[in-house]
Amino acid sequence: MPDHTRAQLAGDHGKAMQLAARLVVKSAEIMGAERLIPISFAHLDACFYTGQAHVDFVRFLIENGASLAVETWTNNGVVSLADPGLRPRVEDPEMVEGAATLMHLYERLGTRPTWTCAPYQLPGGPKLGDHIAVGESNAVSYYNSVVGARTNKYGDYLDVACALTGLAPDAGLHRDEGRHAELHIDTTALPEQWRREDIFAHLIGHHAGRLSGRRVPVISGLFPDTPSFALKAISSAAASSGGVELWHAVGVTPEAPELASVFDTGDMHRVSAEDLARAHRDLSTAADGPLDAVALGTPHFGLVEFEALVRLFDGRKVKAGLPMLVSTSRGVREMARARGWIERLQASGVEVPVDVCTYHSPRVRGLTGRVMTNAAKWAYYAPGMLGVEVAFGSLKECVESAIRGEVWRDPALWTNA
């Protein structure tokens, strides 16, 4: 154990750092780690308000001299500091006020206020082989899988403790043996054109999560040029429907140049068209019909997705009175604004909120009834969180449906399935 950690445990650096060191050391004991390892980066989920304890915790840290040891970014919040009208105070005064207070306190602690569930879309951040501490499920999955950084899923408070001490337990996905695949998911029997559709990534991610649970899967049949937004979709969906913190894709993700690099023996599943049809049914709780809203951006939209969205609208407008929200981060919204895309989308009737996710309670204004989304994670959580019905579809289907005001299905897409 490093000498400075022993000093923190002894209280030499104050009560806050003592608590942080105790949390990290205790977690190492529970995980069976023989040592602590230094980390270079943290992304905190503890800034997402679920009760007064979150506020009390960070207040204690600030009042007792806590200091972050590594670059630390923030997950999205329950409310938007940039767009405060998104979740009106009247809906849930305690939640709305508490969430805003919590976000301001984490800014005081010294975090970089990124307020995004998709920090990997911003410049900077960790690289292949870096040890980090991340709490948000899709970010854990993406950083481990696509970037090749190493993190376990660090729950609220432990994520902060790791950021304060600059240490994490040397266990789980920080170790080579923890990153070996236990399940091979083969998609090569599916038509190539279908595997290139944007909806495929969400469906295979959802299916992979169901199959894997907490196991590490490896997927074969993805293309070497699979775009980052598709890898984001797989990461998010698999982390939601299962507990997948790491997945590999043969010839795509950095640790799996070939199948034998990550898999030798274990279960094998060959994906069929019916598997994906079942995933689509799982994610669509509503019958097709008139729409009440459209919600995109879970995880937060990236630049390539904004470009595709602008192209699909091509100057057309969302049906009058139909809310359409596309969530993203402040950083990506500014990059999209610089390209003129935000103004074009707003002219089409699209709202682009930042700092938040829209499937979480209390309800974002306008999200009620039958809501269409292209995001498997949104479709998975929103019925339980918001009491809405979900129509799940591709990005093109969501845009055409928003313009028409009712669910539209792409005949070309489903003919190719």
Side-chain angles (χ1 to χ4, degrees):
M1 183 183 300
D3 289 341
H4 71 273
T5 306
R6 296 183 190 278
Q8 289 170 346
L9 287 170
D12 295 351
H13 299 281
K15 293 180 180 180
M17 299 306 293
Q18 183 180 46
L19 174 62
R22 285 177 174 175
L23 285 172
V24 173
V25 170
K26 188 63 177 178
S27 71
E29 292 174 1
I30 293 170
M31 297 173 74
E34 297 182 357
R35 65 184 186 121
L36 301 175
I37 52 174
I39 61 170
S40 59
F41 172 87
H43 179 252
L44 305 184
D45 188 60
C47 58
F48 191 92
Y49 183 88
T50 58
Q52 183 61 33
H54 278 71
V55 173
D56 293 341
F57 176 75
V58 70
R59 254 198 197 120
F60 171 83
L61 297 180
I62 292 169
E63 291 171 357
N64 287 276
S67 178
L68 293 167
V70 297
E71 175 83 0
T72 303
W73 297 2
T74 53
N75 192 15
N76 53 254
V78 173
V79 299
S80 173
L81 298 181
D83 303 312
L86 194 62
R87 279 197 168 98
R89 180 183 179 279
V90 68
E91 291 290 321
D92 189 334
E94 185 274 331
M95 178 71 81
V96 170
E97 291 177 8
T101 297
L102 184 67
M103 293 168 76
H104 287 304
L105 286 170
Y106 271 102
E107 289 183 353
R108 284 182 55 194
L109 185 63
T111 62
R112 177 180 169 187
T114 50
W115 307 127
T116 180
C117 59
Y120 42 82
Q121 296 181 149
L122 300 176
K127 297 178 176 58
L128 176 65
D130 288 353
H131 291 278
I132 61 178
V134 177
E136 209 286 327
S137 61
N138 98 84
V140 169
S141 183
Y142 191 97
Y143 275 133
N144 270 320
S145 310
V146 183
V147 176
R150 299 188 171 207
T151 180
N152 295 307
K153 188 179 189 305
Y154 291 103
D156 291 2
Y157 309 148
L158 181 55
D159 54 355
V160 183
C162 291
L164 293 171
T165 60
L167 298 169
D170 184 23
L173 297 178
H174 289 286
R175 299 185 62 84
D176 290 345
E177 60 267 26
R179 302 178 70 83
H180 204 66
E182 304 158 89
L183 167 66
H184 175 207
I185 299 173
D186 184 0
T187 70
T188 56
L190 298 171
E192 177 177 338
Q193 186 173 349
W194 177 241
R195 283 181 280 145
R196 290 193 180 276
E197 296 287 350
D198 64 271
I199 196 173
F200 169 74
H202 296 269
L203 295 176
I204 193 60
H206 179 81
H207 185 56
R210 289 290 201 201
L211 288 172
S212 303
R214 294 295 302 273
R215 292 181 295 175
V216 175
V218 55
I219 301 172
S220 57
L222 300 188
F223 300 103
D225 61 348
T226 299
S228 60
F229 66 81
L231 302 177
K232 175 180 68 172
I234 296 171
S235 299
S236 173
S240 300
S241 64
V244 176
E245 299 172 23
L246 165 65
W247 59 278
H248 302 284
V250 179
V252 179
T253 57
E255 296 174 62
E258 55 188 31
L259 181 63
S261 303
V262 295
F263 182 82
D264 42 39
T265 59
D267 294 337
M268 190 272 187
H269 172 79
R270 187 177 295 275
V271 181
S272 67
E274 176 53 33
D275 290 328
L276 298 189
R278 187 182 308 111
H280 191 274
R281 292 193 296 270
D282 284 349
L283 295 169
S284 299
T285 61
D288 291 351
L291 278 176
D292 296 290
V294 177
L296 311 179
T298 301
H300 284 166
F301 247 40
L303 273 182
V304 174
E305 291 162 296
F306 273 117
E307 183 177 21
L309 188 63
V310 169
R311 185 171 60 251
L312 285 168
F313 266 106
D314 191 27
R316 297 176 296 166
K317 297 183 183 296
V318 174
K319 185 177 181 179
L322 181 72
M324 181 171 182
L325 293 89
V326 182
S327 303
T328 190
S329 66
R330 296 181 186 190
V332 170
R333 185 168 73 171
E334 288 312 303
M335 288 187 279
R337 189 185 304 280
R339 290 162 171 78
W341 296 340
I342 300 301
E343 289 74 11
R344 290 174 64 180
L345 290 172
Q346 289 172 336
S348 290
V350 178
E351 295 182 67
V352 186
V354 296
D355 296 357
V356 295
C357 63
T358 56
Y359 67 76
H360 198 272
S361 179
R363 189 188 309 276
V364 167
R365 64 168 186 269
L367 293 186
T368 186
R370 183 186 283 115
V371 184
M372 193 165 192
T373 186
N374 75 328
K377 181 174 182 177
W378 204 98
Y380 185 83
Y381 285 119
M385 297 291 283
L386 303 179
V388 298
E389 294 182 285
V390 174
F392 179 75
S394 69
L395 183 62
K396 181 179 180 180
E397 288 176 323
C398 287
V399 171
E400 295 299 327
S401 299
I403 292 167
R404 297 163 187 249
E406 62 181 1
V407 177
W408 173 83
R409 296 299 180 188
D410 182 356
L413 174 65
W414 297 107
T415 299
N416 292 329

